[in-house]
């Protein structure tokens, strides 16, 4: 397994950490094992429920169910920002 890679950058005035935790393989039953470093880093424990999102046709994102409110607020903020950019470009 590859070593964890940690990138931190500033986005909209706050630090946003991104990690590369390694690779996983899909088993016969369609299951994927989340690497230990990812589970520890994101505090994922046995029994935790995760929402599964498809992004385009080639990406999957997992979000802990108990973090949905925070995720929704963050996504809503990003969508407002995108809408502002679109409105400014239409008015130019």
């Amino acid at each position: 397994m590859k070593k964890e890679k940690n990138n931190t950058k500033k986005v909209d005035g706050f630090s946003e950490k991104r990690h590369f935790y390694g690779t996983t393989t899909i088993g016969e039953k369609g299951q994927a094992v989340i690497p230990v470093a990812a589970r520890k880093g994101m505090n994922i424990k046995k029994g935790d429920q995760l929402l599964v999102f498809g992004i385009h046709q080639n990406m999957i994102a997992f979000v802990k169910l108990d973090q949905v409110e925070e995720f929704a607020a963050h996504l809503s903020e990003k969508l407002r920002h995108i809408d502002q950019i679109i409105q400014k470009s239409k008015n130019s």
Side-chain angles (χ1 to χ4, degrees), residues 5-6 17 31-32 36 44 48 60 79-80 84 90:
K5 182 179 178 185
N6 179 355
K17 292 184 179 182
Q31 297 171 321
V36 172
I44 297 171
D48 283 351
I60 297 174
L79 290 173
R80 276 193 299 275
Q84 289 172 354
K90 285 181 178 179

Side-chain angles (χ1 to χ4, degrees), residues 24-59:
T24 190
T25 302
I26 305 299
E28 288 182 32
K29 295 181 181 180
Q31 297 171 321
V33 175
I34 300 170
V36 172
R39 293 193 314 264
K40 286 182 179 179
M42 302 186 77
N43 197 29
I44 297 171
K45 296 182 174 92
K46 180 181 177 180
D48 283 351
Q49 291 185 317
L50 305 174
L51 295 176
V52 181
F53 293 91
I55 304 170
H56 303 289
Q57 292 182 351
N58 59 357
M59 289 191 284

